[in-house]
Amino acid sequence: MFLFDMENVSFSVPWKHPLQSRLSTLLSRRIKIAYLYEAPAKNTFRYRVYNMVQALNTHCEDISASYFSSDEWSELDKILEDLDALVISRARYTGELNQLVTRARGLGKTVFYDVDDLIFDPDYTHLIVHSLDLPRTDQTWDYWFAFISRIRAAMKLCDRAITTNQFLAENITEYFDKPAHVIPNFMNDEQLSISRDIFEKKSESGWLRDGTITLGYFSGTQTHNKDFEIASTALAELLRTDKRLRLQIGGHLQIRGPIANFSDRIDFMPFTDFVNLQASVGRVDVNIVPLQQNIFSNCKSELKYFEAAAVGTITVATPIYTYANAIADGENGFLAESYAWCEKLQQALASFSQTNERYVEIAQKAASDVLGKFTGKSQSDSLKNLFVASLPRI
C-alpha cells in the first residue's frame, strides 16, 4: 500500500445551490442550457449533470448552464422562451415532463436526452436483472419493466440523445432512429484538485510503500457481485501464494467461494464521499475492474480507470468496449479476459520492484492520458460544439 500524508478533506455536497441562484446563472450568457434530473444525488447526477454544468460554466465563455430537479421544472416553464436547449438526464416519463418537452420543442428549442446505460429497451430487462444479481421476484420485474419503459417513453419525446461512449450511441441510434452524441464521463474540479495533491505526494515520497501490495475493488453496491466473481478465483489463488497481498473492498459486496477463506486479509471500507474516495483509491497499489462481458456491460463508461489513474494507481480491467479503448495493455494499465485474471494480475504485480520504476512508468502514462481526455476542460470543446451545432438559431 502506498504511504502519503493525506488527511480526510472536509466535504460538503457541491450542488446544493438555491433555485434563484441557479436561475440567475442559467440566464447569464448568450447560450443557455438547462439540465433536468429527477433529484440531485450521487453517481449519475454527478457525472452526467453536475460535471457537465460545471464544465460549461467554467470553460465555455458564451454558454451558461444550470440543473433543476423535478419539483422545479415548473419554474423553467416561465423562462422557456429564453433558453436554447434542454437536457433531460435519466428522468422517467411523467405527464409534466411531456408537457415541458412538447412546449420546448414547439418553441423551436432542441431537447436532448442524456443516458449512460442500456436502460431504454425492455427486451434487455432480463439481462439487466441477471447482470445486477437481483432477486427474480414480481417486485423486481415490475420495477425494472416499468422503469425501462418510462425511460424509453421520455427518450422518445426528445430530438437527440447524449451518451457516454460510441457503443451505446450506436444502440441508441438504432433503437430510436435519432442522433446520439458522445460526451464521455469525466472528473469534476473537486476530484481533480485532490487527485493532483495525491499524485504529487506520491511523487515527492518516491512512491513510498509499506511492503504490502493492496488490490482495491471499489464496487459501490451489491449489484456488482457477479462482476467481482469473475476475478475472485484468481484473487484467492494469488492470496494463497503471495503473502504480501491484501484486498480492500469499497462499498457493499458479498464474498462468496474460495476467496472467503482469506477474510483475515480482506478489508472493507464503508461508503465515503466522492472526493475522499480518491485518497482511498490512491492508497491501493492495483485497482481491479472485473466485469461481465455482455451488451449491458459494454455500455458502461471507463470511470473506474480514469479516477484511479488520476491518483497514480494502475488498473487491471475486463476489456469491455470502453476499457479496451482507454487502456493499452501493459502501457497505461492491463486488460484481463475472464480466463486471464491470474496472469494479468501477476503482470501488474511484476511492475513492482525496489524502486517501483516500471509501476511508476505505467502510472504516469495513465495519469497523462486521463488529464488529456477525462476532465471538464478537455471535453469543453466537444460540449460547446454539440450545443452550438444543434441549435438552429445560433
Side-chain angles (χ1 to χ4, degrees):
M1 179 175 284
F2 285 103
L3 300 174
F4 52 84
D5 184 20
M6 174 68 74
E7 297 182 358
N8 279 358
V9 175
S10 178
F11 176 81
S12 60
V13 176
W15 48 77
K16 289 189 174 180
H17 299 294
L19 172 61
Q20 289 305 316
S21 172
R22 285 179 278 123
L23 286 169
S24 177
T25 297
L26 178 62
L27 298 174
S28 63
R29 294 177 183 169
R30 183 173 68 91
I31 302 171
K32 306 166 184 65
I33 313 297
Y35 276 76
L36 282 64
Y37 198 83
E38 289 186 11
K42 298 178 289 185
N43 302 328
T44 298
F45 172 81
R46 171 161 54 93
Y47 290 111
R48 304 308 299 172
V49 178
Y50 175 75
N51 291 5
M52 302 291 165
V53 168
Q54 183 185 75
L56 287 165
N57 288 330
T58 304
H59 302 291
C60 300
E61 292 183 357
D62 53 351
I63 298 180
S64 56
S66 286
Y67 43 85
F68 303 90
S69 57
S70 58
D71 60 347
E72 299 168 335
W73 293 350
S74 60
E75 295 297 318
L76 285 180
D77 192 63
K78 301 174 184 177
I79 59 169
L80 205 53
E81 293 188 27
D82 298 319
L83 307 185
D84 295 289
L86 298 181
V87 182
I88 316 298
S89 180
R90 206 176 168 116
R92 294 167 291 180
Y93 177 93
T94 64
E96 291 76 16
L97 181 62
N98 189 338
Q99 291 175 5
L100 183 65
V101 171
T102 300
R103 182 162 181 262
R105 294 184 67 189
L107 291 169
K109 316 301 179 181
T110 304
V111 183
F112 298 86
Y113 195 97
D114 188 297
V115 65
D116 61 344
D117 259 325
L118 185 64
I119 52 170
F120 50 80
D121 184 349
D123 287 350
Y124 290 110
T125 305
H126 182 87
L127 175 62
I128 293 171
V129 169
H130 175 80
S131 298
L132 299 180
D133 198 25
L134 299 172
R136 275 61 159 184
T137 63
D138 286 344
Q139 184 178 12
T140 297
W141 297 120
D142 286 347
Y143 173 82
W144 279 97
F145 270 105
F147 176 81
I148 292 170
S149 295
R150 290 178 68 188
I151 293 290
R152 178 184 63 179
M155 289 184 73
K156 288 177 68 176
L157 296 173
C158 302
D159 301 295
R160 298 168 176 264
I162 308 173
T163 192
T164 52
N165 64 74
Q166 190 60 36
F167 183 88
L168 184 51
E170 290 173 2
N171 276 273
I172 292 169
T173 296
E174 181 179 357
Y175 190 80
F176 290 103
D177 191 26
K178 62 180 63 180
H181 309 272
V182 175
I183 302 292
N185 284 337
F186 52 79
M187 288 176 288
N188 56 45
D189 292 347
E190 293 85 353
Q191 285 179 296
L192 287 169
S193 177
I194 191 172
S195 296
R196 279 192 294 266
D197 289 345
I198 293 166
F199 195 93
E200 289 173 3
K201 288 179 183 296
K202 279 186 172 182
S203 298
E204 291 167 359
S205 73
W207 299 77
L208 181 65
R209 300 171 50 252
D210 64 3
T212 63
I213 297 178
T214 303
L215 308 176
Y217 180 70
F218 298 91
S219 62
T221 68
Q222 290 180 346
T223 59
H224 292 286
N225 289 332
K226 285 184 176 291
D227 292 326
F228 179 76
E229 287 175 358
I230 291 169
S232 65
T233 300
L235 290 170
E237 177 61 18
L238 289 171
L239 285 166
R240 184 184 68 81
T241 58
D242 192 336
K243 302 304 180 184
R244 300 173 299 168
L245 296 184
R246 294 193 68 85
L247 175 63
Q248 179 168 303
I249 294 173
H252 296 300
L253 190 73
Q254 294 178 9
I255 299 300
R256 304 185 288 215
I259 198 169
N261 297 325
F262 300 93
S263 58
D264 60 326
R265 290 160 66 191
I266 300 175
D267 303 307
F268 283 87
M269 185 189 79
F271 280 114
T272 187
D273 61 81
F274 68 88
V275 172
N276 286 294
L277 179 62
Q278 290 300 101
S280 298
V281 176
R283 288 193 175 89
V284 305
D285 302 283
V286 180
N287 171 49
I288 62 170
V289 191
L291 291 161
Q292 301 160 78
Q293 280 274 30
N294 56 44
I295 189 172
F296 178 64
S297 62
N298 270 288
C299 294
K300 298 287 184 182
S301 85
E302 58 282 272
L303 65 92
K304 291 185 184 297
Y305 157 68
F306 64 67
E307 290 179 344
V311 293
T313 296
I314 67 173
T315 292
V316 182
T318 296
I320 63 167
Y321 179 85
T322 48
Y323 288 105
N325 280 279
I327 297 175
D329 189 36
E331 296 183 20
N332 61 344
F334 297 89
L335 296 171
E337 297 284 0
S338 59
Y339 55 83
W341 270 91
C342 193
E343 173 191 349
K344 290 299 182 177
L345 285 170
Q346 287 174 332
Q347 288 182 21
L349 298 179
S351 68
F352 292 105
S353 64
Q354 190 170 3
T355 61
N356 299 321
E357 183 177 347
R358 175 65 178 141
Y359 183 98
V360 174
E361 179 185 354
I362 296 171
Q364 288 176 334
K365 284 184 178 179
S368 177
D369 173 60
V370 162
L371 292 177
K373 297 177 182 175
F374 300 108
T375 67
K377 183 176 181 180
S378 65
Q379 290 298 323
S380 59
D381 284 346
S382 294
L383 278 165
K384 180 175 181 177
N385 292 339
L386 166 64
F387 291 121
V388 169
S390 301
L391 304 179
R393 69 179 180 84
I394 294 174

